[in-house]
Amino acid sequence: MTFPIVEKETLNEGTVLLRVKAPRIAAHAQAGQFVVLRIREKGERIPLTLADWDEETITLVFQPVGKTTQDLAKMLPGGSIRDVLGPLGNPAEISKVGTVVLVGGGLGIAPLFPQARAFKEAGNRVVCVIGVRTKGLLFWEDRFKGYAELVVCTEDGSHGMKGLVTDGLKRVMRERKVDRVVAIGPPVMMKFVSLATREAMIPTVVSINSIMVDGIGMCGGCRVPLTTKEIRFSCADGPEFDGHIVDWDALLVRNRMYEDEEKACRCT
Ligand SMILES: Cc1cc2nc3c(=O)[nH]c(=O)nc-3n(C[C@H](O)[C@H](O)[C@H](O)COP(=O)(O)OP(=O)(O)OC[C@H]3O[C@@H](n4cnc5c(N)ncnc54)[C@H](O)[C@@H]3O)c2cc1C
Ligand code: FES
């Protein structure tokens, strides 16, 4: 069984959207979950988050950063992906809590969308703080309409508020009572979101994209160190964790563990 690509869109210079026919995965998909795919039989398996789905298809949004994602970015509608395994990971915990602020940096904007929809449908007031370096990197601003109030941040001030998503979040926290924060994006961004909400004691959920190999809890690759000295696994216990107990410094070191091997791979 292969997975046909039915749509491809370039969202900006470095971000590609693929809509892939996968009705069995789509039927069980929930916000916060991901798939592991392999383009060809001898290819590497890579995890990608479900950015959206309908009855027949799943939507993946990714950046071509290395061999597999670059190969994937070259694929066109009419082509097929060899394997797509999923949905994997625990779904996001969606309930009625009041005001939920979803914070997404860069590519993190895409996986934020199903969470915005789910929190809204659960009866929450949803605010999305999304941030990019500059206006040209922004995507899906329209897609959030009807589900969330948007606070757009650009580092160079070319659109919305000038600053980082943490500046946008702090502004929202000053203006209203926030009952939960969800952050998706680069680990450094999630670390600073968690620091900002810790003092205000706002429950904060982060989505950890550790290096994954099997994606089903068997290989130990996706360890998430906690400040409680416990170890969790992103694929089996996450990918969502309490941002206030993630050991961010240890996680950042761990995420850089294979840097040399990845650089070597890119040269071949
Ligand atoms: C649960 C989860 C969800 C993800 N969702 C998305 C998404 O929606 N969109 C997206 O663009 N990226 C996502 N990623 C990251 C994506 O999996 C990597 O960009 C991809 O594996 C890179 O593979 P490569 O061969 O192209 O690049 P490589 O050259 O192999 O790696 C480039 C960088 O990607 C990361 N990476 C490499 N291999 C893995 C791996 N097996 N698991 C996790 N990270 C890896 C590393 O930080 C590395 O420095 C997700 C990762 C996880 C764990
Ligand atoms: S990817 Fe192997 S344990 Fe999580």
mmCIF file with all atom_site columns, all heavy atoms in Angstrom, residues 36-53:
data_model
loop_
_atom_site.group_PDB
_atom_site.id
_atom_site.type_symbol
_atom_site.label_atom_id
_atom_site.label_alt_id
_atom_site.label_comp_id
_atom_site.label_asym_id
_atom_site.label_entity_id
_atom_site.label_seq_id
_atom_site.pdbx_PDB_ins_code
_atom_site.Cartn_x
_atom_site.Cartn_y
_atom_site.Cartn_z
_atom_site.occupancy
_atom_site.B_iso_or_equiv
_atom_site.pdbx_formal_charge
_atom_site.auth_seq_id
_atom_site.auth_comp_id
_atom_site.auth_asym_id
_atom_site.auth_atom_id
_atom_site.pdbx_PDB_model_num
ATOM 1   N N   . VAL A 1 36 ? 4.939  8.784  11.101 1.00 0.00 ? 36 VAL A N   1
ATOM 2   C CA  . VAL A 1 36 ? 6.329  8.518  10.709 1.00 0.00 ? 36 VAL A CA  1
ATOM 3   C C   . VAL A 1 36 ? 6.270  8.002  9.278  1.00 0.00 ? 36 VAL A C   1
ATOM 4   O O   . VAL A 1 36 ? 5.521  7.064  8.981  1.00 0.00 ? 36 VAL A O   1
ATOM 5   C CB  . VAL A 1 36 ? 6.990  7.487  11.644 1.00 0.00 ? 36 VAL A CB  1
ATOM 6   C CG1 . VAL A 1 36 ? 8.338  7.037  11.087 1.00 0.00 ? 36 VAL A CG1 1
ATOM 7   C CG2 . VAL A 1 36 ? 7.199  8.093  13.034 1.00 0.00 ? 36 VAL A CG2 1
ATOM 8   N N   . LEU A 1 37 ? 7.018  8.651  8.397  1.00 0.00 ? 37 LEU A N   1
ATOM 9   C CA  . LEU A 1 37 ? 6.936  8.221  6.996  1.00 0.00 ? 37 LEU A CA  1
ATOM 10  C C   . LEU A 1 37 ? 8.295  7.829  6.439  1.00 0.00 ? 37 LEU A C   1
ATOM 11  O O   . LEU A 1 37 ? 9.348  8.217  6.954  1.00 0.00 ? 37 LEU A O   1
ATOM 12  C CB  . LEU A 1 37 ? 6.270  9.306  6.129  1.00 0.00 ? 37 LEU A CB  1
ATOM 13  C CG  . LEU A 1 37 ? 6.952  10.658 5.973  1.00 0.00 ? 37 LEU A CG  1
ATOM 14  C CD1 . LEU A 1 37 ? 8.045  10.616 4.907  1.00 0.00 ? 37 LEU A CD1 1
ATOM 15  C CD2 . LEU A 1 37 ? 5.898  11.687 5.567  1.00 0.00 ? 37 LEU A CD2 1
ATOM 16  N N   . ARG A 1 38 ? 8.221  7.065  5.369  1.00 0.00 ? 38 ARG A N   1
ATOM 17  C CA  . ARG A 1 38 ? 9.417  6.617  4.653  1.00 0.00 ? 38 ARG A CA  1
ATOM 18  C C   . ARG A 1 38 ? 9.098  6.784  3.168  1.00 0.00 ? 38 ARG A C   1
ATOM 19  O O   . ARG A 1 38 ? 8.093  6.244  2.685  1.00 0.00 ? 38 ARG A O   1
ATOM 20  C CB  . ARG A 1 38 ? 9.642  5.137  4.996  1.00 0.00 ? 38 ARG A CB  1
ATOM 21  C CG  . ARG A 1 38 ? 10.939 4.578  4.545  1.00 0.00 ? 38 ARG A CG  1
ATOM 22  C CD  . ARG A 1 38 ? 11.181 3.238  5.197  1.00 0.00 ? 38 ARG A CD  1
ATOM 23  N NE  . ARG A 1 38 ? 10.091 2.289  4.929  1.00 0.00 ? 38 ARG A NE  1
ATOM 24  C CZ  . ARG A 1 38 ? 10.259 0.977  4.815  1.00 0.00 ? 38 ARG A CZ  1
ATOM 25  N NH1 . ARG A 1 38 ? 11.450 0.443  4.974  1.00 0.00 ? 38 ARG A NH1 1
ATOM 26  N NH2 . ARG A 1 38 ? 9.253  0.185  4.581  1.00 0.00 ? 38 ARG A NH2 1
ATOM 27  N N   . ILE A 1 39 ? 9.947  7.538  2.474  1.00 0.00 ? 39 ILE A N   1
ATOM 28  C CA  . ILE A 1 39 ? 9.628  7.833  1.073  1.00 0.00 ? 39 ILE A CA  1
ATOM 29  C C   . ILE A 1 39 ? 9.784  6.598  0.195  1.00 0.00 ? 39 ILE A C   1
ATOM 30  O O   . ILE A 1 39 ? 8.989  6.320  -0.687 1.00 0.00 ? 39 ILE A O   1
ATOM 31  C CB  . ILE A 1 39 ? 10.551 8.949  0.532  1.00 0.00 ? 39 ILE A CB  1
ATOM 32  C CG1 . ILE A 1 39 ? 10.311 10.240 1.320  1.00 0.00 ? 39 ILE A CG1 1
ATOM 33  C CG2 . ILE A 1 39 ? 10.322 9.182  -0.951 1.00 0.00 ? 39 ILE A CG2 1
ATOM 34  C CD1 . ILE A 1 39 ? 11.191 11.396 0.873  1.00 0.00 ? 39 ILE A CD1 1
ATOM 35  N N   . ARG A 1 40 ? 10.878 5.860  0.446  1.00 0.00 ? 40 ARG A N   1
ATOM 36  C CA  . ARG A 1 40 ? 11.131 4.654  -0.359 1.00 0.00 ? 40 ARG A CA  1
ATOM 37  C C   . ARG A 1 40 ? 11.568 3.537  0.572  1.00 0.00 ? 40 ARG A C   1
ATOM 38  O O   . ARG A 1 40 ? 11.860 3.792  1.757  1.00 0.00 ? 40 ARG A O   1
ATOM 39  C CB  . ARG A 1 40 ? 12.176 4.927  -1.433 1.00 0.00 ? 40 ARG A CB  1
ATOM 40  C CG  . ARG A 1 40 ? 13.513 5.423  -0.909 1.00 0.00 ? 40 ARG A CG  1
ATOM 41  C CD  . ARG A 1 40 ? 14.437 5.804  -2.035 1.00 0.00 ? 40 ARG A CD  1
ATOM 42  N NE  . ARG A 1 40 ? 14.039 7.045  -2.660 1.00 0.00 ? 40 ARG A NE  1
ATOM 43  C CZ  . ARG A 1 40 ? 14.385 8.258  -2.198 1.00 0.00 ? 40 ARG A CZ  1
ATOM 44  N NH1 . ARG A 1 40 ? 15.149 8.373  -1.124 1.00 0.00 ? 40 ARG A NH1 1
ATOM 45  N NH2 . ARG A 1 40 ? 13.988 9.351  -2.794 1.00 0.00 ? 40 ARG A NH2 1
ATOM 46  N N   . GLU A 1 41 ? 11.634 2.308  0.023  1.00 0.00 ? 41 GLU A N   1
ATOM 47  C CA  . GLU A 1 41 ? 11.849 1.140  0.878  1.00 0.00 ? 41 GLU A CA  1
ATOM 48  C C   . GLU A 1 41 ? 13.099 1.259  1.746  1.00 0.00 ? 41 GLU A C   1
ATOM 49  O O   . GLU A 1 41 ? 13.086 0.948  2.922  1.00 0.00 ? 41 GLU A O   1
ATOM 50  C CB  . GLU A 1 41 ? 11.887 -0.130 0.035  1.00 0.00 ? 41 GLU A CB  1
ATOM 51  C CG  . GLU A 1 41 ? 11.600 -1.330 0.907  1.00 0.00 ? 41 GLU A CG  1
ATOM 52  C CD  . GLU A 1 41 ? 11.582 -2.624 0.115  1.00 0.00 ? 41 GLU A CD  1
ATOM 53  O OE1 . GLU A 1 41 ? 11.410 -2.561 -1.113 1.00 0.00 ? 41 GLU A OE1 1
ATOM 54  O OE2 . GLU A 1 41 ? 11.751 -3.680 0.755  1.00 0.00 ? 41 GLU A OE2 1
ATOM 55  N N   . LYS A 1 42 ? 14.198 1.730  1.161  1.00 0.00 ? 42 LYS A N   1
ATOM 56  C CA  . LYS A 1 42 ? 15.426 1.805  1.950  1.00 0.00 ? 42 LYS A CA  1
ATOM 57  C C   . LYS A 1 42 ? 15.651 3.189  2.541  1.00 0.00 ? 42 LYS A C   1
ATOM 58  O O   . LYS A 1 42 ? 16.758 3.522  2.966  1.00 0.00 ? 42 LYS A O   1
ATOM 59  C CB  . LYS A 1 42 ? 16.612 1.383  1.086  1.00 0.00 ? 42 LYS A CB  1
ATOM 60  C CG  . LYS A 1 42 ? 16.491 -0.083 0.710  1.00 0.00 ? 42 LYS A CG  1
ATOM 61  C CD  . LYS A 1 42 ? 17.803 -0.720 0.432  1.00 0.00 ? 42 LYS A CD  1
ATOM 62  C CE  . LYS A 1 42 ? 17.600 -2.240 0.344  1.00 0.00 ? 42 LYS A CE  1
ATOM 63  N NZ  . LYS A 1 42 ? 18.411 -2.867 -0.643 1.00 0.00 ? 42 LYS A NZ  1
ATOM 64  N N   . GLY A 1 43 ? 14.603 3.978  2.567  1.00 0.00 ? 43 GLY A N   1
ATOM 65  C CA  . GLY A 1 43 ? 14.752 5.350  3.061  1.00 0.00 ? 43 GLY A CA  1
ATOM 66  C C   . GLY A 1 43 ? 14.723 5.436  4.580  1.00 0.00 ? 43 GLY A C   1
ATOM 67  O O   . GLY A 1 43 ? 14.334 4.499  5.270  1.00 0.00 ? 43 GLY A O   1
ATOM 68  N N   . GLU A 1 44 ? 15.109 6.632  5.071  1.00 0.00 ? 44 GLU A N   1
ATOM 69  C CA  . GLU A 1 44 ? 15.061 6.919  6.514  1.00 0.00 ? 44 GLU A CA  1
ATOM 70  C C   . GLU A 1 44 ? 13.597 7.178  6.905  1.00 0.00 ? 44 GLU A C   1
ATOM 71  O O   . GLU A 1 44 ? 12.815 7.691  6.112  1.00 0.00 ? 44 GLU A O   1
ATOM 72  C CB  . GLU A 1 44 ? 15.896 8.191  6.720  1.00 0.00 ? 44 GLU A CB  1
ATOM 73  C CG  . GLU A 1 44 ? 15.987 8.679  8.128  1.00 0.00 ? 44 GLU A CG  1
ATOM 74  C CD  . GLU A 1 44 ? 16.576 10.104 8.205  1.00 0.00 ? 44 GLU A CD  1
ATOM 75  O OE1 . GLU A 1 44 ? 16.407 10.908 7.269  1.00 0.00 ? 44 GLU A OE1 1
ATOM 76  O OE2 . GLU A 1 44 ? 17.197 10.387 9.223  1.00 0.00 ? 44 GLU A OE2 1
ATOM 77  N N   . ARG A 1 45 ? 13.260 6.838  8.142  1.00 0.00 ? 45 ARG A N   1
ATOM 78  C CA  . ARG A 1 45 ? 11.908 7.148  8.634  1.00 0.00 ? 45 ARG A CA  1
ATOM 79  C C   . ARG A 1 45 ? 11.956 8.493  9.332  1.00 0.00 ? 45 ARG A C   1
ATOM 80  O O   . ARG A 1 45 ? 12.815 8.689  10.193 1.00 0.00 ? 45 ARG A O   1
ATOM 81  C CB  . ARG A 1 45 ? 11.461 6.106  9.664  1.00 0.00 ? 45 ARG A CB  1
ATOM 82  C CG  . ARG A 1 45 ? 11.246 4.745  9.084  1.00 0.00 ? 45 ARG A CG  1
ATOM 83  C CD  . ARG A 1 45 ? 11.053 3.726  10.204 1.00 0.00 ? 45 ARG A CD  1
ATOM 84  N NE  . ARG A 1 45 ? 11.390 2.411  9.723  1.00 0.00 ? 45 ARG A NE  1
ATOM 85  C CZ  . ARG A 1 45 ? 10.539 1.603  9.096  1.00 0.00 ? 45 ARG A CZ  1
ATOM 86  N NH1 . ARG A 1 45 ? 9.302  1.982  8.891  1.00 0.00 ? 45 ARG A NH1 1
ATOM 87  N NH2 . ARG A 1 45 ? 10.926 0.422  8.667  1.00 0.00 ? 45 ARG A NH2 1
ATOM 88  N N   . ILE A 1 46 ? 11.041 9.376  8.989  1.00 0.00 ? 46 ILE A N   1
ATOM 89  C CA  . ILE A 1 46 ? 11.027 10.682 9.683  1.00 0.00 ? 46 ILE A CA  1
ATOM 90  C C   . ILE A 1 46 ? 9.628  10.994 10.238 1.00 0.00 ? 46 ILE A C   1
ATOM 91  O O   . ILE A 1 46 ? 8.615  10.683 9.615  1.00 0.00 ? 46 ILE A O   1
ATOM 92  C CB  . ILE A 1 46 ? 11.500 11.850 8.780  1.00 0.00 ? 46 ILE A CB  1
ATOM 93  C CG1 . ILE A 1 46 ? 10.578 12.031 7.569  1.00 0.00 ? 46 ILE A CG1 1
ATOM 94  C CG2 . ILE A 1 46 ? 12.949 11.683 8.351  1.00 0.00 ? 46 ILE A CG2 1
ATOM 95  C CD1 . ILE A 1 46 ? 10.654 13.423 6.981  1.00 0.00 ? 46 ILE A CD1 1
ATOM 96  N N   . PRO A 1 47 ? 9.588  11.600 11.433 1.00 0.00 ? 47 PRO A N   1
ATOM 97  C CA  . PRO A 1 47 ? 8.292  11.984 12.003 1.00 0.00 ? 47 PRO A CA  1
ATOM 98  C C   . PRO A 1 47 ? 7.850  13.368 11.535 1.00 0.00 ? 47 PRO A C   1
ATOM 99  O O   . PRO A 1 47 ? 8.666  14.281 11.451 1.00 0.00 ? 47 PRO A O   1
ATOM 100 C CB  . PRO A 1 47 ? 8.587  12.016 13.521 1.00 0.00 ? 47 PRO A CB  1
ATOM 101 C CG  . PRO A 1 47 ? 10.061 12.201 13.651 1.00 0.00 ? 47 PRO A CG  1
ATOM 102 C CD  . PRO A 1 47 ? 10.716 11.850 12.363 1.00 0.00 ? 47 PRO A CD  1
ATOM 103 N N   . LEU A 1 48 ? 6.584  13.515 11.197 1.00 0.00 ? 48 LEU A N   1
ATOM 104 C CA  . LEU A 1 48 ? 6.001  14.821 10.857 1.00 0.00 ? 48 LEU A CA  1
ATOM 105 C C   . LEU A 1 48 ? 4.633  14.935 11.540 1.00 0.00 ? 48 LEU A C   1
ATOM 106 O O   . LEU A 1 48 ? 3.870  13.970 11.582 1.00 0.00 ? 48 LEU A O   1
ATOM 107 C CB  . LEU A 1 48 ? 5.833  14.987 9.338  1.00 0.00 ? 48 LEU A CB  1
ATOM 108 C CG  . LEU A 1 48 ? 7.112  15.037 8.485  1.00 0.00 ? 48 LEU A CG  1
ATOM 109 C CD1 . LEU A 1 48 ? 6.768  15.110 7.001  1.00 0.00 ? 48 LEU A CD1 1
ATOM 110 C CD2 . LEU A 1 48 ? 8.005  16.222 8.873  1.00 0.00 ? 48 LEU A CD2 1
ATOM 111 N N   . THR A 1 49 ? 4.338  16.113 12.033 1.00 0.00 ? 49 THR A N   1
ATOM 112 C CA  . THR A 1 49 ? 3.094  16.324 12.783 1.00 0.00 ? 49 THR A CA  1
ATOM 113 C C   . THR A 1 49 ? 1.904  16.479 11.831 1.00 0.00 ? 49 THR A C   1
ATOM 114 O O   . THR A 1 49 ? 2.044  17.044 10.742 1.00 0.00 ? 49 THR A O   1
ATOM 115 C CB  . THR A 1 49 ? 3.235  17.602 13.642 1.00 0.00 ? 49 THR A CB  1
ATOM 116 O OG1 . THR A 1 49 ? 4.419  17.473 14.408 1.00 0.00 ? 49 THR A OG1 1
ATOM 117 C CG2 . THR A 1 49 ? 2.057  17.800 14.573 1.00 0.00 ? 49 THR A CG2 1
ATOM 118 N N   . LEU A 1 50 ? 0.750  16.006 12.262 1.00 0.00 ? 50 LEU A N   1
ATOM 119 C CA  . LEU A 1 50 ? -0.468 16.189 11.465 1.00 0.00 ? 50 LEU A CA  1
ATOM 120 C C   . LEU A 1 50 ? -0.911 17.643 11.603 1.00 0.00 ? 50 LEU A C   1
ATOM 121 O O   . LEU A 1 50 ? -1.274 18.087 12.698 1.00 0.00 ? 50 LEU A O   1
ATOM 122 C CB  . LEU A 1 50 ? -1.567 15.251 11.978 1.00 0.00 ? 50 LEU A CB  1
ATOM 123 C CG  . LEU A 1 50 ? -1.318 13.767 11.700 1.00 0.00 ? 50 LEU A CG  1
ATOM 124 C CD1 . LEU A 1 50 ? -2.233 12.889 12.554 1.00 0.00 ? 50 LEU A CD1 1
ATOM 125 C CD2 . LEU A 1 50 ? -1.516 13.465 10.219 1.00 0.00 ? 50 LEU A CD2 1
ATOM 126 N N   . ALA A 1 51 ? -0.851 18.368 10.485 1.00 0.00 ? 51 ALA A N   1
ATOM 127 C CA  . ALA A 1 51 ? -1.206 19.786 10.527 1.00 0.00 ? 51 ALA A CA  1
ATOM 128 C C   . ALA A 1 51 ? -2.689 19.993 10.231 1.00 0.00 ? 51 ALA A C   1
ATOM 129 O O   . ALA A 1 51 ? -3.251 21.032 10.555 1.00 0.00 ? 51 ALA A O   1
ATOM 130 C CB  . ALA A 1 51 ? -0.359 20.572 9.529  1.00 0.00 ? 51 ALA A CB  1
ATOM 131 N N   . ASP A 1 52 ? -3.302 18.992 9.592  1.00 0.00 ? 52 ASP A N   1
ATOM 132 C CA  . ASP A 1 52 ? -4.747 19.038 9.316  1.00 0.00 ? 52 ASP A CA  1
ATOM 133 C C   . ASP A 1 52 ? -5.137 17.696 8.693  1.00 0.00 ? 52 ASP A C   1
ATOM 134 O O   . ASP A 1 52 ? -4.256 16.890 8.343  1.00 0.00 ? 52 ASP A O   1
ATOM 135 C CB  . ASP A 1 52 ? -5.086 20.191 8.353  1.00 0.00 ? 52 ASP A CB  1
ATOM 136 C CG  . ASP A 1 52 ? -6.544 20.619 8.471  1.00 0.00 ? 52 ASP A CG  1
ATOM 137 O OD1 . ASP A 1 52 ? -7.285 20.034 9.288  1.00 0.00 ? 52 ASP A OD1 1
ATOM 138 O OD2 . ASP A 1 52 ? -6.949 21.542 7.738  1.00 0.00 ? 52 ASP A OD2 1
ATOM 139 N N   . TRP A 1 53 ? -6.434 17.485 8.545  1.00 0.00 ? 53 TRP A N   1
ATOM 140 C CA  . TRP A 1 53 ? -6.921 16.268 7.895  1.00 0.00 ? 53 TRP A CA  1
ATOM 141 C C   . TRP A 1 53 ? -8.381 16.466 7.524  1.00 0.00 ? 53 TRP A C   1
ATOM 142 O O   . TRP A 1 53 ? -9.056 17.355 8.057  1.00 0.00 ? 53 TRP A O   1
ATOM 143 C CB  . TRP A 1 53 ? -6.767 15.048 8.829  1.00 0.00 ? 53 TRP A CB  1
ATOM 144 C CG  . TRP A 1 53 ? -7.421 15.243 10.173 1.00 0.00 ? 53 TRP A CG  1
ATOM 145 C CD1 . TRP A 1 53 ? -8.718 14.993 10.521 1.00 0.00 ? 53 TRP A CD1 1
ATOM 146 C CD2 . TRP A 1 53 ? -6.800 15.788 11.345 1.00 0.00 ? 53 TRP A CD2 1
ATOM 147 N NE1 . TRP A 1 53 ? -8.934 15.344 11.827 1.00 0.00 ? 53 TRP A NE1 1
ATOM 148 C CE2 . TRP A 1 53 ? -7.777 15.830 12.354 1.00 0.00 ? 53 TRP A CE2 1
ATOM 149 C CE3 . TRP A 1 53 ? -5.507 16.240 11.642 1.00 0.00 ? 53 TRP A CE3 1
ATOM 150 C CZ2 . TRP A 1 53 ? -7.508 16.319 13.644 1.00 0.00 ? 53 TRP A CZ2 1
ATOM 151 C CZ3 . TRP A 1 53 ? -5.243 16.726 12.919 1.00 0.00 ? 53 TRP A CZ3 1
ATOM 152 C CH2 . TRP A 1 53 ? -6.234 16.761 13.907 1.00 0.00 ? 53 TRP A CH2 1
#
